[in-house]
Amino acid sequence: MTTQRLPFPVPDERAHYFVTGYADMHDLVEDLVVPDGVPEAAAAVLRTARELLRQSYYCYEFSTVAVMHSLIAVEIVLRDRIPDAGKKPLHQLIKQGATCGILTARQAEYLDDGRKIRNRLVHGHTAHAVMPPAMAVPMVATSFAIVSELCAAPTCR
């Protein structure tokens, strides 16, 4: 049996459009801090999204994965804040969160747009999507902010 040895990571050539070196990736994500009070399941997902952004220096496509992953954290917290969330699809959770006031109209719009992008990727309607880190960081930051605000909000009634 032959063992294939993977090469050490090398910077993706596209990374140099937004940073000069890997150390700059730390600066890019330094404000993405998981707030206190976030359930550990959501916190772990947010930390992973942040790390995916940093690693997009080596694999540019990781920035797109980071955005999709950050939406998982929002969904986890929505399920926690909405009674009887059960197995409701994300679009229903977004609508219910907006109706009961734990999501603003703008947050609901952002989440619904992200949900649509995620669904196109997951269900094979978009085979490949590349989102530059400069575009992905604000989107992931928005997920961090929404999670923080949801955790501070009362549960839907």
Side-chain angles (χ1 to χ4, degrees):
M1 182 156 123
T2 308
T3 305
Q4 180 183 8
R5 189 169 175 115
L6 296 174
F8 284 104
V10 295
D12 187 300
E13 61 189 43
R14 297 167 288 185
H16 297 292
Y17 294 131
F18 57 95
V19 295
T20 56
Y22 180 69
D24 297 332
M25 296 304 289
H26 301 284
D27 296 337
L28 196 64
V29 301
E30 72 182 339
D31 292 333
L32 298 177
V33 177
V34 178
D36 292 336
V38 173
E40 183 52 35
V45 171
L46 289 175
R47 287 190 296 268
T48 300
R50 180 182 59 217
E51 189 60 26
L52 283 163
L53 283 172
R54 286 188 337 125
Q55 296 307 316
S56 68
Y57 181 77
Y58 297 108
C59 183
Y60 199 72
E61 289 77 6
F62 280 179
S63 59
T64 303
V65 178
V67 171
M68 301 300 104
H69 208 68
S70 71
L71 289 171
I72 294 169
V74 176
E75 184 170 356
I76 289 168
V77 176
L78 277 173
R79 288 191 185 286
D80 186 56
R81 307 308 288 166
I82 297 174
D84 302 322
K87 294 186 179 190
K88 290 179 184 175
L90 182 55
H91 77 276
Q92 286 183 342
L93 295 176
I94 294 167
K95 189 178 288 188
Q96 193 171 346
T99 299
C100 78
I102 62 169
L103 289 174
T104 67
R106 179 67 187 120
Q107 289 171 330
E109 181 183 343
Y110 162 80
L111 292 173
D112 199 50
D113 289 346
R115 177 193 64 81
K116 289 173 185 173
I117 293 168
R118 180 201 68 179
N119 286 352
R120 285 195 299 270
L121 287 167
V122 171
H123 297 295
H125 300 293
T126 302
H128 186 70
V130 176
M131 186 177 301
M135 178 189 273
V137 169
M139 295 174 86
V140 172
T142 301
S143 290
F144 269 72
I146 290 173
V147 165
S148 178
E149 291 169 23
L150 282 171
C151 288
T155 304
C156 276
R157 292 184 175 96

